[in-house]
């Protein structure tokens, strides 16, 4: 019979394997989160994955916020900076930063790279990824990656929203 710590380790291995295969469920992570209570770091790590799974299924309610708050608090109390950063990033990406109590992301002009600003200007002009790639002499896939990064950094759900945010923040300069 496995020890409680052994069962938690086995549960984590199984859940991570399912996650890698794309078959992990909220229930798997919730069970691991509850079973790992004896090891606060392990529970916080499982909580991060639980919150991620909840957000993946569109759950942005009290459970997700509470789990993320607990992860952040544990990470801060343990001085586990990487875990705290991952939880804060997840809260921001899930647009729960205010509810969780983490600092919002830095302003976009401080966060976007010069190349991302070039891509953003072209996106704001209505160019497709293929057209952006051609204009900047990069592949369509590279342009797509830049657009995804821009959307994430601006907290925008679409290219149109990213262009609107950029205009409001004055990121487009005289080029737009």
């Amino acid at each position: 019979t496995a020890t409680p710590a052994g069962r938690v380790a086995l549960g984590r291995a199984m859940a991570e394997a399912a996650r890698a295969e794309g078959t992990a469920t909220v229930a798997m992570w919730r069970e691991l989160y509850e079973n790992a209570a004896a090891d606060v770091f392990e529970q916080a790590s499982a909580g991060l994955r639980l919150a991620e799974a909840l957000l993946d299924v569109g759950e942005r309610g009290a459970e997700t916020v509470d789990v993320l708050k607990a992860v952040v608090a544990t990470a801060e109390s343990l001085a586990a900076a990487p875990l705290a950063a991952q939880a804060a990033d997840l809260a921001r990406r899930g647009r729960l930063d205010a509810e969780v109590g983490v600092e919002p992301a830095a302003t976009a002009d401080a966060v976007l790279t010069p190349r991302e600003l070039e891509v953003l200007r072209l996106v704001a002009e209505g160019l497709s990824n293929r057209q952006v790639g051609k204009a900047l002499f990069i592949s369509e896939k590279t342009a797509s990656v830049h657009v995804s990064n821009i959307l994430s950094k601006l907290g925008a759900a679409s290219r149109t929203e990213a262009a609107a945010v950029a205009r409001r923040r004055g990121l487009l300069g005289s080029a737009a």
Side-chain angles (χ1 to χ4, degrees), residues 53-86:
L54 287 164
L55 287 169
D56 282 347
V57 298
E59 176 54 51
R60 300 179 66 242
E63 180 183 14
T64 307
V65 170
D66 290 346
V67 169
L68 276 171
K69 280 181 179 181
V71 172
V72 169
T74 300
E76 288 174 355
S77 74
L78 296 175
L83 181 60
Q86 290 174 333

Side-chain angles (χ1 to χ4, degrees), residues 153-173:
K153 289 177 179 183
L154 294 180
S158 68
R159 299 162 72 94
T160 304
E161 185 180 357
V165 168
R167 282 191 181 89
R168 275 195 310 272
R169 294 183 184 176
L171 298 177
L172 299 177

Side-chain angles (χ1 to χ4, degrees), residues 90-111:
L90 183 60
R92 287 184 199 104
R93 288 185 289 126
R95 297 186 181 176
L96 296 172
D97 45 335
E99 293 92 331
V100 173
V102 298
E103 291 293 319
T107 59
D109 53 338
V111 175

Side-chain angles (χ1 to χ4, degrees), residues 67-169:
V67 169
L68 276 171
K69 280 181 179 181
V71 172
V72 169
T74 300
E76 288 174 355
S77 74
L78 296 175
L83 181 60
Q86 290 174 333
D89 180 59
L90 183 60
R92 287 184 199 104
R93 288 185 289 126
R95 297 186 181 176
L96 296 172
D97 45 335
E99 293 92 331
V100 173
V102 298
E103 291 293 319
T107 59
D109 53 338
V111 175
L112 293 179
T113 66
R115 186 57 144 190
E116 288 169 342
L117 283 169
E118 290 176 318
V119 171
L120 178 59
R121 288 184 184 103
L122 296 173
V123 166
E125 292 176 16
L127 274 65
S128 68
N129 289 346
R130 179 172 297 196
Q131 293 167 321
V132 168
K134 191 169 187 167
L136 297 177
F137 306 101
I138 59 177
S139 73
E140 180 178 353
K141 178 65 178 165
T142 300
S144 171
V145 170
H146 284 307
V147 170
S148 294
N149 290 339
I150 291 165
L151 294 177
S152 175
K153 289 177 179 183
L154 294 180
S158 68
R159 299 162 72 94
T160 304
E161 185 180 357
V165 168
R167 282 191 181 89
R168 275 195 310 272
R169 294 183 184 176

